[in-house]
Amino acid sequence: MSNTSTTAIAPTPASVADWLTGFLAELLDVTPEEIDPAAGLDLLGVDSATTLVICAKARDELGVPLRPREVFDNFTVDALVRHLTAPQPAGA
């Protein structure tokens, strides 16, 4: 009998913040230090097309489903990190 679990470990706020900041910096061609986690993503250059890329990458890289509406409802790095690391309802 194996003790291997198929349940993914939930991303931590720090790991998601690092990932999102690094990803946005690369995507927007700036340094991670230029990403203000409290600034609106639109001020950083995120638009609707970029939002779709964020959603796809969050799913692929973090294993977390993310819809564009959720990005727009949590439109700073800090808010998006809180959203992505919040406990998910059963069956989500």
Side-chain angles (χ1 to χ4, degrees), residues 29-52:
D29 198 26
V30 298
T31 66
E33 294 76 27
E34 292 177 84
I35 303 292
D36 178 356
L41 295 178
D42 56 336
L43 298 176
L44 299 173
V46 172
D47 58 16
S48 57
T50 312
T51 297
L52 295 174

Side-chain angles (χ1 to χ4, degrees), residues 6 21 29 31 42 48 50 54-55 57 60 63-64 78 83:
T6 58
T21 300
D29 198 26
T31 66
D42 56 336
S48 57
T50 312
I54 293 169
C55 292
K57 281 294 191 178
D60 295 346
V64 177
D78 286 341
H83 176 73

Side-chain angles (χ1 to χ4, degrees), residues 16-91:
V16 172
D18 287 346
W19 172 81
L20 185 56
T21 300
F23 173 68
L24 287 173
E26 182 180 325
L27 189 65
L28 302 172
D29 198 26
V30 298
T31 66
E33 294 76 27
E34 292 177 84
I35 303 292
D36 178 356
L41 295 178
D42 56 336
L43 298 176
L44 299 173
V46 172
D47 58 16
S48 57
T50 312
T51 297
L52 295 174
V53 175
I54 293 169
C55 292
K57 281 294 191 178
R59 181 194 63 235
D60 295 346
E61 302 277 331
L62 302 174
V64 177
L66 183 64
R67 292 184 209 109
R69 178 83 248 157
E70 294 169 312
V71 175
F72 290 116
D73 288 346
N74 299 281
F75 213 55
T76 67
V77 169
D78 286 341
L80 200 49
V81 167
R82 283 190 300 274
H83 176 73
L84 289 169
T85 58
Q88 297 296 313

